[in-house]
Amino acid sequence: FFYMLNPYMIVNVWNRFLLPIILASALFPVSLLLCIKGLKEHKTHYAFYICIVSVILGLAFSHPANLIILWLILLSYVAFYIFENRDEKLKVVYALKFSSILLGLWFLLNSWWLLPFASTAFHSLGTRIDAAENLALFLSSSEKYGGLFYIARLINYQFFSVTWTNYLTILDPISVLTLGTIALSAFKLKNRFTQYFIFLSFLGLFLAKGSEPPLGEVFVWAFTSFQPLQVLRDPYGKLGIIIALGYAPLFGVGFTILQSWIKQYAELFSN
């Protein structure tokens, strides 16, 4: 529920209502779930399931940014899993095996469009918009979203300040309550899935803020050094979905904790 109806999804997905974005919003959580189950249950056929889902929802890759985001999410969990189990050699070896099978199968099943795309897409991009203009767009896009103060609350500052100014006064207290509920998930910090989604949320925040502080210069360096990353010249618009995906399970955990507290206090006062 939270994942599909937070301020980011309302503005950037449902307001725009573009099919590739809608399909990508379904592809990311399903693929991540299958990846988690594949590593947890030590069953490599989940890699095949991820590939099938990618083929079915393949229109999402009509925007190359979604290709980068998908693998960023999946590899972030694989890296987290390896780090968590770094002292267990068999689990580390299996994670590497699972990742290799997933990469190989995914490339094989998607090679019919991936090979022609790879040979022309970034060259075409470079001929239409030069690197300097891409960088200018990246810097201006990063600035217009208002930095971490708004991005952490999933609020598109430019959209609401220009189009729906009055809604900011409504969203401000709602966003504070939402972040407060998410913060309650820290009481379950020993759970490795809570740890991962906190990590994913911070990763999304770091990337979606673009060139804004802190450490915005790191993203600027990566953006200028690796041409494929120039498809992310609208950082919050493209990468904000990672924050929403990270927040969603944490909101559920926090809401469950809040609900249990309310129930306990209600029983206490009723007695």
Side-chain angles (χ1 to χ4, degrees):
F1 177 79
F2 176 86
Y3 175 70
M4 300 305 292
L5 290 178
N6 60 75
Y8 172 86
M9 298 294 283
I10 291 173
V11 174
N12 292 78
V13 177
W14 304 123
N15 176 61
R16 299 177 67 186
F17 213 74
L18 299 175
L19 186 57
I21 299 177
I22 294 173
L23 293 178
S25 68
L27 174 64
F28 299 151
V30 172
S31 298
L32 178 58
L33 173 62
L34 293 172
C35 181
I36 291 173
K37 289 181 69 67
L39 291 177
K40 181 181 179 181
E41 299 178 11
H42 281 218
K43 294 180 179 179
T44 54
H45 60 256
Y46 281 105
F48 179 72
Y49 296 159
I50 294 173
C51 296
I52 293 300
V53 172
S54 294
V55 171
I56 294 173
L57 302 177
L59 187 59
F61 301 123
S62 60
H63 197 299
N66 292 331
L67 179 61
I68 296 174
I69 295 169
L70 173 66
W71 284 105
L72 179 64
I73 292 170
L74 295 180
L75 293 178
S76 73
Y77 183 74
V78 173
F80 176 83
Y81 181 87
I82 291 174
F83 178 79
E84 283 286 298
N85 299 281
R86 59 191 178 278
D87 296 326
E88 300 183 52
K89 184 178 179 181
L90 290 178
K91 288 187 176 181
V92 172
V93 170
Y94 174 75
L96 295 174
K97 174 185 174 183
F98 181 88
S99 303
S100 300
I101 292 173
L102 175 57
L103 282 166
L105 278 176
W106 193 93
F107 180 84
L108 182 64
L109 291 177
N110 290 277
S111 59
W112 62 273
W113 65 266
L114 190 60
L115 290 175
F117 169 79
S119 65
T120 60
F122 295 117
H123 172 72
S124 175
L125 180 64
T127 58
R128 291 200 311 269
I129 303 176
D130 61 28
E133 187 172 349
N134 271 332
L135 179 60
L137 288 170
F138 174 72
L139 295 174
S140 63
S141 295
S142 300
E143 183 179 0
K144 73 183 182 182
Y145 288 118
L148 277 176
F149 179 73
Y150 287 98
I151 289 174
R153 295 180 293 157
L154 296 174
I155 294 176
N156 186 326
Y157 175 75
Q158 184 192 38
F159 177 85
F160 285 103
S161 63
V162 175
T163 310
W164 302 97
T165 307
N166 294 334
Y167 281 82
L168 277 175
T169 58
I170 301 174
L171 282 173
D172 280 338
I174 293 176
S175 64
V176 170
L177 290 174
T178 300
L179 287 181
T181 303
I182 291 172
L184 292 177
S185 64
F187 286 96
K188 297 290 184 179
L189 194 56
K190 292 183 178 180
N191 185 291
R192 65 174 54 191
F193 293 114
T194 301
Q195 295 171 7
Y196 168 69
F197 283 106
I198 290 175
F199 164 71
L200 184 64
S201 299
F202 277 104
L203 176 64
L205 287 168
F206 172 76
L207 295 174
K209 69 179 179 56
S211 62
E212 293 296 287
L215 299 176
E217 59 273 12
V218 176
F219 199 170
V220 173
W221 171 82
F223 184 85
T224 54
S225 301
F226 302 97
Q227 187 179 8
L229 294 182
Q230 294 187 17
V231 298
L232 303 175
R233 56 187 178 272
D234 178 15
Y236 177 70
K238 299 294 187 298
L239 297 163
I241 196 168
I242 299 177
I243 309 173
L245 183 58
Y247 278 3
L250 300 179
F251 181 84
V253 171
F255 187 81
T256 301
I257 293 173
L258 181 62
Q259 188 179 36
S260 66
W261 287 357
I262 293 174
K263 184 178 179 181
Q264 290 175 6
Y265 280 110
E267 291 176 352
L268 179 66
F269 285 111
S270 64
N271 295 330

